[in-house]
C-alpha cells in the first residue's frame, strides 16, 4: 500500500483521474513533507522486526518476503525527487510547465548514479540512527550464512538490499551539516566497509565468478564505488579505505579494474559478460574522479600512491589493448578492423584521464612502447609478417593521441594542464618527455614519404591512424600562439612549460614539422587511391586543422609542399578520383589558406589561379555544340560532379579577404549552371550538386554585394527557379513502384532542402548587409524571387516530408524568416498555397523540437503584427485570409488569426512544453489578441464557465483580466509592451495552469 501511494503521489506516475495538475502537485508536496519519512520509518521498523528470524532460520521463511518488500519500498522512497524537503523549509513553487518526469531517471545512462538529496530533516532517519549499520549487518549476516548457496546472491532480498546500500552511497546535500564534514566521511566509510567483501580481494572474487559464481554482487560493488566517487573528491575518496586497509581507495580501484581487464584479456569473446559491465562502471568511476582535476590546473594532483595506482592500471590497460590489436590481425572478422578511428573515442578518453593522472610514468612508458614497435617493424622488414605489429602501432597511436591532446572541435585546443605542470626538472626541450614522444611519432610518420617504406610498412589502416594523430596533435601543439594556450596561471612560469611550448613554434621546429605534415598529406592523397576513409581524414581533419590557425596559414603559403598540393589539386587527374566529401573539403581548405597572403589582392589572385581550371572546364563543356549527348557520358558526369563539389567547397570558404574572387568565380559559371540544370534534368544527383553550389555561393556572397551585383544574383536565382519548375524537377509520379517512390522521395527531400536554404539566404540580405547601396530596390526584387519560390515549393512540402528533421528545420526557418522580412509576400499567395503554409505552421507548433516550435511562434508573431499594423494604417492586411467565410454547404470557417488564437491559447494552457517557449509564445499571443479581441473575450468566458469549482472560476476570471491590463499594458506593438506582456503571461500561466491542466 505504501509503495502504491508513493507511486501514485508522484506526478510522473500518478493515475489519470481528470483532476487539476495543481491537485496532484499538492498531493506530492503533502506526501513529501508529512508522510514520506514516516513511510520510510515504518518500512525500516518492519524490516527490523523480521531481521532476527531471517538470520536465525536455516531456510527460506515468509518473513523474507516482508523484508524484501520493505527494502524495495525504502529504495523507492530514496529515488523520490525531493523538492520540498530541501532548503531549510523554503517554499518550492509548482512547475506548471513540466509533465513531472524526473530528468535524471528518464535519461540517465546505465552506469550513472542518481544523487539522493532528501534534505536536513532526514538526518535522524538515515544518519543519526543505526540504520546504515543495521542494513549492512543484515546483508553481511545473511550473505555469510548462505555463502555456499550460489543462487542466494541473485535472490530478491539480496538484490534489494544491495540496491539500497548503493543508493545510500549517493546521499548528498543538506542532510549533512555544513559544519560537520566528518559525518559524511563516516557515513561513506561505514558503507565502504560493508561493500568491501563484495569486491576485495579482486582476484579471488573474479576467479569465483569465472568458476560459476554470480557476478551481480561484484557489479553492485563497482556501482557503489561510482556513487561514492560522485559525491566526494579524489583525495577524500582515496583516504576512506586507509582506516580499513594499508592502502587507499584509489589503489583498490586500480586493483579491481586491473583484475577486470585481465579477465577481458583472457576471455576475448564477443559475448558481453560481467567483466564488460564492470569495466564500463569502473571507467566511469575513474572519469568522475579525474575529469574535474584534468582542467583544474597543476595543483590538483593525486597522492603519490594514487599516481602509482593510476600508472599501474594504465600499463595494464595498454597491454590489454595491444593484445586485442595483435589478435585482430589474425581474425577473419573485419568488423573491428574497419571501424572508424573514433569508434573507441569515449573509452580512450577515459584511458587518457588515467594516464594524465600519472604522466611522469605514463608518457615515458608510451614512448618506450612506441619505439619498440617501430624498431620491431624495421628489424622484420621483408622477413617477418608485420601485421600484428602494425595493429599494435595503430592502437598505440590512438591511445597516445588521446593522452597528448583533447578533441579541439569547435574550440581552441589547449595543452592538457597535467602535461604542462609535470616534468618540472626538464630544462632542455629535447629532453621533455612530451617532445620526445611527439618527435618519435613525427619521425616515424615521415618515413611514409619513402616509396619502399610505404609499401612495406605503411598500410592504409596504419596511415589512417598516422593522419588522425597528426591532425589532433598539430591543432594542439604546432606553432602555438602563447595567448591562446596559457593554461592555468600557476603554470606560466614553469621552465618545463616553456620547453614544451617553444619547441614546435615558428622560431624552432614548427615550420620544419609543418612541411613534413603537408608532404605526408599529399602522399596520403596521391599514393593511396580508393582509400576513402584515409582521404577523408586527410582532407577533412588534418589539412583543415592546419588552416584553422591563422598564424599557420602565413607559413603554409611559403612552403613548396603546399604549392605542390595546390598544383596537384588544380591539374593532377588522380585527385579528381577523390570522393565528394574530400573534393569539397580540399577545395575549402586551399581557399581558406589564402588568408596567409600579404594583401587582399594577393589572396584574391591566389583563389582565382586555384579555381581557374574548374570554372574554365565548365564553361568549355557547356559551350560544346553536342552538349546534350556529351553530358550523358559517365566520365563527363563524374567530371561535372567533381567540379561542382570543388566550386561548392570554395564557395563555403568565403571570407571578406577572398570574397571578390569567389564572387567572380560564381559569376563566370552562372550560364553554365543554368545550362547544366536543363541538360541534367533527369540526373537527380547532378541537380542536387548544382543547387547546393548555388546555395553555398549565395550564402557567402549576398551580404557583401552592392545593389547592381545583388540584382545579378537575384535574376540568376529567378532563372534557376524557373528552369527547375519548368522541367517538373522534384515532382513524384504516383505510378512509381514503392521502392522507386521511396528513392524519389529522398531525392525530392534533398532538392527541397536546397531550395529552402536558397530562399532563406535571399531573405537574409535585408537583415545582414555590408554593402553601401540602398536596399529598397533589391528588397522588391528579392521578395519577388521568394514569392515565386514559395509557389514552387509549397505544393511539394507535405506533412510526411516534414517528418525529416533537417527538412523540417529548414522549412520553418524559411517561413519564420520570410514572414519577419516580407510578410506581405505570404499575404499575396492564393488561398490554397496560403492555407497549406498555415497548415504546416499548425503542424510545427505541436512538434517536440523546441527550435521548430519557436520558429512557428515567430512566424505567428510576424503574421499577426503585420495584419494589426496594416489595419491600423487603413490597409487590408491579410485581407480575406484573416476574415471568416461560409462555404457552399453553409459551414462557417474561422479566419486564420482566429484559428491560431484558439490554438495558441489551448497550447499554452493545456499542453506540456519547455519554459523557454513562454516568452516567444507571449510575443505571438499579444498581437493575436489585439487582432481578435472579441474572440479572446469569448474564449475566456468559455473557460470561466467550464470551471465547476467557484474558487477556480474566480481565480481564472481575475487572471484573464490581469493578463491584458496589468503593468500599464497598452495596444501598441512596441518593445516595451512586448516585455510587459511577457511578464503578464508568465504570471498568468503560473496562476492558472495548475488547476486548468488535468491528469
Amino acid at each position: 500500500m505504501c509503495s502504491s501511494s508513493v507511486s501514485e503521489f508522484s506526478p510522473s506516475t500518478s493515475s489519470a483521474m481528470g483532476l487539476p495538475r495543481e491537485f496532484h502537485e499538492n498531493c506530492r508536496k503533502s506526501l513529501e513533507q508529512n508522510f514520506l519519512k514516516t513511510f520510510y520509518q515504518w518500512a525500516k521498523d518492519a524490516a527490523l522486526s523480521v531481521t532476527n528470524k531471517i538470520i536465525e532460520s536455516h531456510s527460506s521463511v515468509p518473513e523474507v518476503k516482508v523484508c524484501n518488500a520493505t527494502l524495495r519500498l525504502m529504495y523507492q522512497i530514496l529515488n523520490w525527487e525531493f523538492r520540498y524537503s530541501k532548503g531549510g523549509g523554503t517554499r518550492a513553487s509548482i512547475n506548471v510547465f513540466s509533465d513531472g518526469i524526473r530528468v535524471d531517471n528518464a535519461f540517465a545512462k546505465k552506469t550513472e548514479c542518481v544523487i539522493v538529496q532528501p534534505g536536513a530533516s532526514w538526518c535522524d532517519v538515515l544518519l543519526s540512527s543505526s540504520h546504515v549499520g543495521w542494513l549492512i549487518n543484515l546483508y553481511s549476516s545473511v550473505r555469510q550464512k548462505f555463502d555456499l548457496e550460489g543462487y542466494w546472491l541473485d535472490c530478491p532480498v539480496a538484490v534489494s538490499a544491495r540496491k539500497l546500500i548503493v543508493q545510500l552511497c549517493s546521499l548528498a546535500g543538506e542532510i549533512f551539516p555544513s559544519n560537520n564534514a566528518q559525518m559524511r566521511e563516516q557515513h561513506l566509510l561505514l558503507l565502504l566497509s560493508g561493500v568491501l567483501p563484495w569486491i576485495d580481494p579482486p582476484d579471488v572474487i573474479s576467479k569465483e565468478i569465472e568458476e560459476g559464481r554470480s557476478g551481480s554482487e561484484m557489479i553492485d560493488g563497482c556501482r557503489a564505488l561510482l556513487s561514492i566517487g560522485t559525491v566526494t573528491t579524489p583525495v577524500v575518496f582515496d583516504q576512506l579505505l586507509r582506516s580499513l586497509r594499508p592502502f587507499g581507495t584509489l589503489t583498490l580501484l586500480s586493483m579491481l579494474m586491473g583484475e577486470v581487464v585481465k579477465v577481458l584479456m583472457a576471455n576475448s569473446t564477443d559475448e558481453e559478460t560481467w567483466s564488460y559491465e564492470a569495466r564500463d562502471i569502473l571507467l566511469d568511476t575513474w572519469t568522475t574522479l579525474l575529469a574535474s582535476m584534468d582542467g583544474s590546473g597543476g595543483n590538483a594532483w593525486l597522492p603519490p600512491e594514487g599516481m602509482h595506482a593510476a600508472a599501474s592500471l594504465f600499463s595494464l590497460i595498454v597491454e590489454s589493448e595491444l593484445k586485442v590489436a595483435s589478435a585482430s590481425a589474425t581474425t577473419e572478422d573485419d568488423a573491428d578492423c574497419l571501424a572508424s578511428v573514433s569508434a573507441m573515442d569515449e573509452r580512450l578518453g577515459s584511458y587518457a584521464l588515467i594516464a594524465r593522472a600519472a604522466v611522469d610514468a605514463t608518457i615515458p612508458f608510451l614512448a618506450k612502447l612506441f619505439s619498440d614497435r617501430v624498431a620491431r617493424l624495421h628489424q622484420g622488414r621483408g622477413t617477418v609478417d608485420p601485421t600484428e605489429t602494425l595493429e599494435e602501432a595503430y592502437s598505440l597511436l590512438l591511445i597516445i593521441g588521446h593522452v597528448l591532446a583533447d578533441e579541439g572541435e569547435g574550440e581552441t585546443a589547449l595543452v592538457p594542464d597535467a602535461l604542462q605542470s609535470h616534468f618540472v626538472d626538464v630544462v632542455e626541450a629535447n629532453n621533455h618527455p612530451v617532445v620526445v614522444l611527439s618527435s618519435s611519432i613525427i619521425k616515424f610518420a615521415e618515413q611514409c614519404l619513402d616509396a619502399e617504406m610505404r609499401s612495406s610498412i605503411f598500410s592504409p589502416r596504419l596511415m589512417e591512424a598516422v593522419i588522425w594523430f597528426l591532425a589532433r596533435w598539430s591543432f594542439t601543439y604546432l606553432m602555438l600562439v602563447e595567448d591562446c594556450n596559457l593554461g592555468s596561471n600557476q603554470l606560466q612560469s614553469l621552465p618545463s612549460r616553456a620547453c614544451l611550448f617553444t619547441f614546435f613554434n615558428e622560431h624552432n621546429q614548427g615550420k620544419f614539422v609543418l612541411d613534413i605534415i603537408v608532404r605526408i598529406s599529399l602522399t596520403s592523397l596521391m599514393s593511396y587511391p580508393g582509400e576513402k576513409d584515409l582521404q577523408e581524414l586527410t582532407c577533412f581533419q588534418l589539412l583543415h586543422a592546419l588552416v584553422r590557425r591563422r598564424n599557420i596559414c602565413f607559413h603554409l603559403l611559403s612552403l613548396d609542399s603546399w604549392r605542390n598540393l595546390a598544383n596537384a589539386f588544380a591539374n593532377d587527374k588522380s585527385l579528381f578520383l577523390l570522393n565528394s566529401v574530400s573534393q569539397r573539403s580540399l577545395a575549402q581548405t586551399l581557399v581558406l589558406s589564402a588568408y596567409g597572403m600579404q594583401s587582399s589582392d594577393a589572396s584574391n589572385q591566389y583563389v582565382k589561379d586555384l579555381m581557374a581550371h574548374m570554372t574554365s572546364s565548365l564553361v568549355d563543356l557547356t559551350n560544346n555544340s553536342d552538349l546534350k549527348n556529351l553530358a550523358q557520358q559517365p566520365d563527363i558526369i563524374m567530371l561535372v560532379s567533381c567540379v561542382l563539389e570543388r566550386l561548392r567547397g570554395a564557395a563555403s570558404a568565403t571570407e571578406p579577404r577572398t570574397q571578390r574572387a569567389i564572387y567572380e568565380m560564381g559569376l563566370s559559371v552562372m550560364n553554365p549552371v543554368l545550362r547544366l540544370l536543363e541538360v541534367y534534368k533527369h540526373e537527380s544527383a547532378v541537380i542536387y550538386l548544382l543547387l547546393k553550389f548555388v546555395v553555398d555561393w549565395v550564402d557567402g556572397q549576398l551580404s557583401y554585394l552592392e545593389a547592381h551585383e545583388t540584382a545579378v544574383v537575384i535574376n540568376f536565382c529567378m532563372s534557376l527557379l524557373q528552369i527547375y519548375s519548368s522541367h517538373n524537377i522534384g515532382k513524384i509520379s504516383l505510378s512509381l513502384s514503392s521502392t522507386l517512390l521511396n528513392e524519389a522521395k529522398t531525392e525530392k527531400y534533398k532538392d527541397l532542402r536546397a531550395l529552402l536554404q536558397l530562399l532563406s539566404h535571399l531573405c537574409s540580405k535585408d537583415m545582414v548587409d555590408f554593402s553601401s547601396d540602398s536596399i529598397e530596390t533589391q528588397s522588391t526584387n528579392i521578395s519577388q524571387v521568394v514569392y515565386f519560390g514559395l509557389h514552387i515549393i509549397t505544393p511539394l512540402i507535405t506533412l510526411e516530408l516534414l517528418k525529416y528533421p533537417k527538412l523540417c528545420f529548414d522549412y520553418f526557418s524559411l517561413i519564420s524568416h520570410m514572414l519577419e522580412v516580407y510578410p506581405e509576400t505570404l499575404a499575396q499567395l492564393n488561398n490554397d498555397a496560403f492555407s497549406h503554409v498555415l497548415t504546416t505552421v499548425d503542424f510545427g507548433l505541436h512538434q517536440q523540437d523546441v527550435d521548430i516550435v519557436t520558429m512557428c511562434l515567430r512566424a505567428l508573431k510576424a503574421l499577426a503584427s503585420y495584419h494589426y499594423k496594416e489595419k491600423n494604417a487603413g490597409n487590408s492586411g491579410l485581407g480575406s485570409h484573416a476574415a471568416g467565410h461560409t462555404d457552399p454547404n453553409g459551414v462557417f470557417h474561422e479566419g486564420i488569426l482566429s484559428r491560431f488564437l484558439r490554438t495558441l491559447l489551448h497550447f499554452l494552457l493545456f499542453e506540456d512544453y519547455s519554459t523557454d517557449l513562454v516568452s516567444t509564445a507571449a510575443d505571438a499571443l499579444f498581437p493575436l489578441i489585439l487582432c481578435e479581441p472579441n474572440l479572446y473575450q469569448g474564449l475566456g468566458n468559455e473557460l470561466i464557465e467550464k470551471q465547476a469549482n467557484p474558487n477556480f472560476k474566480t481565480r481564472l476570471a481575475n487572471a484573464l483580466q490581469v493578463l491584458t491590463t496589468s503593468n500599464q499594458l497598452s495596444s501598441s506593438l512596441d518593445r516595451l509592451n512586448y516585455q510587459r506582456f511577457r511578464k503578464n503571461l508568465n504570471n498568468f500561466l503560473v496562476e492558472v495552469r495548475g488547476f486548468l491542466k488535468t491528469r
Side-chain angles (χ1 to χ4, degrees):
M1 183 186 72
C2 290
S3 178
S4 298
S5 297
V6 173
S7 180
E8 187 59 50
F9 278 68
S10 175
S12 59
T13 54
S14 59
S15 301
M17 302 165 65
L19 293 171
R21 170 69 189 280
E22 189 175 80
F23 172 84
H24 287 286
E25 196 65 37
N26 286 331
C27 289
R28 166 204 180 115
K29 180 178 180 179
S30 174
L31 182 73
E32 181 177 329
Q33 292 184 329
N34 304 318
F35 299 100
L36 208 56
K37 192 167 72 168
T38 303
F39 285 179
Y40 194 95
Q41 186 68 55
W42 287 351
K44 187 172 73 169
D45 293 342
L48 276 168
S49 68
V50 298
T51 298
N52 290 336
K53 189 155 188 179
I54 294 173
I55 293 175
E56 292 169 0
S57 65
H58 295 282
S59 60
S60 180
V61 292
E63 284 77 5
V64 170
K65 292 184 178 180
V66 176
C67 187
N68 180 48
T70 60
L71 292 172
R72 289 175 58 189
L73 174 58
M74 287 187 276
Y75 177 77
Q76 181 186 9
I77 291 172
L78 289 185
N79 263 303
W80 180 273
E81 185 182 7
F82 292 93
R83 296 185 62 211
Y84 300 100
S85 303
K86 297 188 290 183
T90 56
R91 180 178 180 269
S93 61
I94 296 174
N95 183 354
V96 296
F97 303 101
S98 161
D99 57 6
I101 295 177
R102 181 171 177 170
V103 176
D104 55 7
N105 277 340
F107 302 103
K109 297 178 182 177
K110 67 176 182 179
T111 59
E112 288 179 340
C113 63
V114 176
I115 305 299
V116 180
Q117 302 184 76
S121 62
W122 281 72
C123 183
D124 58 333
V125 176
L126 298 178
L127 300 178
S128 300
S129 65
S130 57
H131 174 55
V132 174
W134 161 80
L135 179 61
I136 289 173
N137 289 334
L138 168 66
Y139 183 82
S140 299
S141 300
V142 182
R143 179 182 187 270
Q144 186 176 5
K145 184 173 183 177
F146 296 101
D147 189 43
L148 298 178
E149 301 180 28
Y151 71 87
W152 185 84
L153 291 176
D154 291 323
C155 76
V157 70
V159 172
S160 298
R162 289 200 305 271
K163 288 173 71 174
L164 183 56
I165 291 172
V166 172
Q167 193 73 328
L168 287 167
C169 288
S170 60
L171 209 58
E174 298 168 3
I175 190 171
F176 296 103
S178 58
N179 59 353
N180 191 352
Q182 289 184 346
M183 180 180 282
R184 180 201 297 268
E185 294 179 23
Q186 290 169 356
H187 167 75
L188 294 176
L189 177 59
L190 181 59
L191 286 164
L192 182 59
S193 66
V195 170
L196 210 51
W198 311 354
I199 54 179
D200 185 49
D203 55 342
V204 174
I205 295 174
S206 67
K207 183 180 178 182
E208 291 175 352
I209 296 174
E210 289 301 299
E211 292 174 351
R213 177 188 174 101
S214 171
S216 59
E217 189 180 62
M218 165 76 96
I219 296 295
D220 285 333
C222 296
R223 289 196 179 101
L225 290 179
L226 174 59
S227 296
I228 295 172
T230 302
V231 298
T232 190
T233 65
V235 174
V236 173
F237 179 85
D238 188 52
Q239 288 291 334
L240 287 174
L241 190 61
R242 293 190 182 277
S243 61
L244 304 173
R245 294 286 190 275
F247 47 82
T249 321
L250 287 171
T251 299
L252 173 63
L253 186 63
S254 174
M255 293 165 53
L256 186 57
M257 185 164 176
E259 193 59 41
V260 170
V261 170
K262 289 177 185 176
V263 172
L264 286 171
M265 280 196 290
N267 303 328
S268 52
T269 174
D270 292 335
E271 182 182 351
E272 291 205 3
T273 59
W274 69 273
S275 52
Y276 281 91
E277 187 174 0
R279 180 197 62 187
D280 290 344
I281 297 171
L282 293 171
L283 263 183
D284 279 352
T285 307
W286 278 104
T287 302
T288 299
L289 290 166
L290 299 175
S292 59
M293 296 176 60
D294 191 52
S296 61
N299 292 331
W301 293 356
L302 293 179
E305 184 186 299
M307 290 186 184
H308 178 74
S312 300
L313 175 60
F314 182 73
S315 173
L316 192 58
I317 287 172
V318 174
E319 179 188 344
S320 168
E321 291 295 332
L322 293 183
K323 182 179 179 181
V324 171
S326 178
S328 70
T330 57
T331 59
E332 296 183 1
D333 184 7
D334 292 335
D336 292 331
C337 297
L338 298 178
S340 67
V341 169
S342 59
M344 299 188 301
D345 204 52
E346 185 177 351
R347 194 164 82 241
L348 292 176
S350 297
Y351 294 166
L353 289 176
I354 297 172
R356 292 176 193 173
V359 292
D360 289 320
T362 55
I363 298 297
F365 170 70
L366 288 171
K368 182 179 184 307
L369 284 179
F370 189 77
S371 298
D372 289 347
R373 268 52 184 186
V374 172
R376 195 182 300 173
L377 285 171
H378 284 288
Q379 290 168 4
R381 279 184 63 200
T383 59
V384 178
D385 183 0
T387 308
E388 289 188 8
T389 309
L390 289 176
E391 286 298 326
E392 290 180 351
Y394 174 93
S395 184
L396 273 175
L397 284 170
L398 297 189
I399 294 171
I400 294 170
H402 279 83
V403 173
L404 293 186
D406 294 316
E407 184 181 14
E409 196 67 34
E411 58 186 32
T412 302
L414 301 177
V415 176
D417 278 345
L419 301 181
Q420 297 185 49
S421 60
H422 285 256
F423 314 112
V424 293
D425 296 331
V426 175
V427 293
E428 294 184 8
N430 288 330
N431 296 328
H432 196 293
V434 174
V435 172
V436 171
L437 178 56
S438 301
S439 299
S440 67
I441 295 175
I442 293 168
K443 184 178 179 180
F444 170 71
E446 186 182 11
Q447 296 174 25
C448 77
L449 301 176
D450 180 84
E452 186 178 342
M453 291 291 294
R454 191 163 59 244
S455 62
S456 60
I457 292 179
F458 289 90
S459 65
R461 178 167 163 79
L462 181 61
M463 280 299 292
E464 285 180 27
V466 167
I467 294 297
W468 175 88
F469 173 86
L470 291 175
R472 193 176 182 109
W473 178 90
S474 61
F475 194 57
T476 304
Y477 292 91
L478 187 59
M479 295 187 180
L480 289 179
V481 178
E482 196 74 359
D483 291 341
C484 295
N485 222 319
L486 288 176
S488 302
N489 293 329
Q490 306 97 313
L491 306 175
Q492 296 180 33
S493 59
L494 291 175
S496 59
R497 181 182 180 279
C499 294
L500 181 58
F501 274 58
T502 57
F503 189 78
F504 296 109
N505 71 11
E506 56 188 333
H507 304 297
N508 200 330
Q509 298 296 309
K511 192 169 182 179
F512 173 71
V513 172
L514 178 63
D515 182 59
I516 292 175
I517 290 174
V518 174
R519 287 191 290 143
I520 291 173
S521 301
L522 184 57
T523 299
S524 71
L525 294 176
M526 302 286 287
S527 302
Y528 293 87
E531 294 295 335
K532 175 186 171 184
D533 292 340
L534 173 60
Q535 291 162 352
E536 285 188 9
L537 279 169
T538 304
C539 295
F540 193 70
Q541 291 197 25
L542 178 53
L543 292 174
H544 199 61
L546 298 180
V547 298
R548 285 170 70 184
R549 284 253 183 87
R550 298 302 193 190
N551 63 312
I552 292 181
C553 288
F554 292 117
H555 297 283
L556 275 176
L557 293 176
S558 67
L559 296 176
D560 289 339
S561 55
W562 190 259
R563 285 190 285 270
N564 292 339
L565 176 62
N567 184 61
F569 170 80
N571 303 301
D572 197 305
K573 291 185 178 180
S574 63
L575 288 189
F576 277 80
L577 298 176
L578 297 177
N579 67 19
S580 59
V581 174
S582 299
Q583 296 281 2
R584 188 164 67 247
S585 180
L586 183 57
Q588 182 187 45
T589 296
L590 289 168
V591 172
L592 285 173
S593 72
Y595 184 90
M597 287 292 181
Q598 295 297 322
S599 65
S600 179
D601 290 341
S603 295
N604 279 297
Q605 189 59 50
Y606 174 83
V607 173
K608 287 179 183 178
D609 295 341
L610 183 71
M611 303 305 298
H613 181 67
M614 310 302 128
T615 56
S616 62
S617 63
L618 275 193
V619 172
D620 293 343
L621 174 65
T622 53
N623 286 336
N624 192 300
S625 58
D626 193 29
L627 175 62
K628 287 189 177 180
N629 294 324
L630 187 65
Q632 305 309 316
Q633 297 178 10
D635 58 330
I636 298 299
I637 293 176
M638 189 191 77
L639 173 66
V640 170
S641 300
C642 175
V643 170
L644 288 173
E645 287 287 12
R646 292 183 170 197
L647 292 176
R648 182 184 168 193
S652 65
T654 301
E655 290 187 339
R657 197 177 178 91
T658 55
Q659 177 269 324
R660 175 53 46 185
I662 296 175
Y663 169 72
E664 292 175 357
M665 176 194 78
L667 193 65
S668 67
V669 296
M670 278 185 177
N671 289 329
V673 165
L674 296 177
R675 188 83 175 90
L676 291 173
L677 195 64
E678 293 179 323
V679 171
Y680 285 113
K681 59 186 176 182
H682 299 304
E683 290 286 344
S684 58
V686 181
I687 294 297
Y688 177 68
L689 290 179
L690 286 164
L691 293 176
K692 287 301 292 183
F693 160 62
V694 174
V695 167
D696 288 344
W697 181 70
V698 170
D699 182 35
Q701 294 296 311
L702 206 59
S703 60
Y704 297 100
L705 301 182
E706 303 296 343
H708 67 283
E709 295 168 330
T710 303
V712 172
V713 173
I714 291 171
N715 290 335
F716 166 67
C717 291
M718 179 66 88
S719 299
L720 181 140
L721 290 170
Q722 289 171 338
I723 294 172
Y724 185 90
S725 177
S726 66
H727 290 294
N728 294 318
I729 303 170
K731 292 187 177 178
I732 296 177
S733 170
L734 296 177
S735 63
L736 291 173
S737 70
S738 59
T739 303
L740 292 177
L741 186 62
N742 289 331
E743 291 177 0
K745 278 185 178 179
T746 302
E747 296 302 332
K748 174 184 173 184
Y749 151 71
K750 293 166 64 178
D751 283 5
L752 284 176
R753 274 201 71 204
L755 291 174
L756 289 168
Q757 290 166 352
L758 177 60
L759 294 178
S760 292
H761 296 333
L762 289 172
C763 285
S764 70
K765 176 65 174 176
D766 281 347
M767 303 187 74
V768 182
D769 188 4
F770 301 131
S771 67
S772 57
D773 292 341
S774 168
I775 62 172
E776 292 181 2
T777 302
Q778 63 197 38
S779 294
T780 304
N781 293 335
I782 291 174
S783 65
Q784 291 173 353
V785 177
V786 173
Y787 175 74
F788 183 73
L790 272 182
H791 267 289
I792 296 174
I793 292 173
T794 299
L796 302 176
I797 296 288
T798 64
L799 299 185
E800 185 73 22
L801 281 175
L802 287 177
K803 293 178 182 178
Y804 288 90
K806 291 181 179 179
L807 176 67
C808 187
F809 182 88
D810 287 336
Y811 174 73
F812 287 114
S813 178
L814 170 65
I815 294 299
S816 65
H817 199 162
M818 182 201 68
L819 283 172
E820 289 173 330
V821 183
Y822 308 114
E824 69 282 353
T825 300
L826 189 67
Q828 295 169 10
L829 293 176
N830 60 44
N831 286 334
D832 290 341
F834 183 90
S835 177
H836 183 74
V837 169
L838 273 299
T839 299
T840 60
V841 171
D842 185 63
F843 172 82
L845 276 175
H846 297 90
Q847 298 304 295
Q848 296 295 318
D849 191 319
V850 172
D851 291 333
I852 300 297
V853 179
T854 297
M855 288 187 286
C856 291
L857 291 170
R858 283 170 47 198
L860 288 182
K861 173 193 174 183
L863 196 68
S865 58
Y866 165 75
H867 178 73
Y868 181 72
K869 290 175 181 177
E870 287 293 299
K871 293 291 286 184
N872 283 350
N875 300 320
S876 61
L878 295 177
S880 60
H881 298 307
H885 68 279
T886 303
D887 64 18
N889 297 322
V891 179
F892 178 77
H893 296 274
E894 285 186 313
I896 197 66
L897 297 178
S898 299
R899 195 176 95 196
F900 275 110
L901 174 58
R902 190 184 298 273
T903 299
L904 186 52
L905 275 174
H906 186 276
F907 171 82
L908 288 168
L909 293 173
F910 300 108
E911 297 182 28
D912 290 321
Y913 50 86
S914 167
T915 54
D916 296 338
L917 291 172
V918 174
S919 293
T920 312
D923 291 348
L925 182 61
F926 185 39
L928 283 171
I929 291 175
L930 293 179
C931 289
E932 301 290 343
N934 293 332
L935 176 62
Y936 168 73
Q937 191 67 39
L939 292 173
N941 291 335
E942 284 181 25
L943 276 174
I944 293 169
E945 291 304 317
K946 286 180 181 179
Q947 303 308 308
N949 187 316
N951 180 39
F952 291 165
K953 184 176 292 191
T954 303
R955 286 173 62 184
L956 180 57
N958 292 337
L960 286 167
Q961 176 68 20
V962 170
L963 175 61
T964 54
T965 58
S966 67
N967 279 331
Q968 300 178 328
L969 189 69
S970 68
S971 60
S972 173
L973 288 177
D974 55 33
R975 181 187 180 92
L976 184 58
N977 269 312
Y978 275 119
Q979 291 174 343
R980 290 168 176 167
F981 190 77
R982 287 175 199 162
K983 184 176 181 180
N984 288 358
L985 180 64
N986 190 73
N987 293 336
F988 170 76
L989 293 174
V990 170
E991 173 64 21
V992 304
R993 260 182 69 96
F995 63 82
L996 285 180
K997 192 173 186 312
T998 60
R999 177 183 172 85

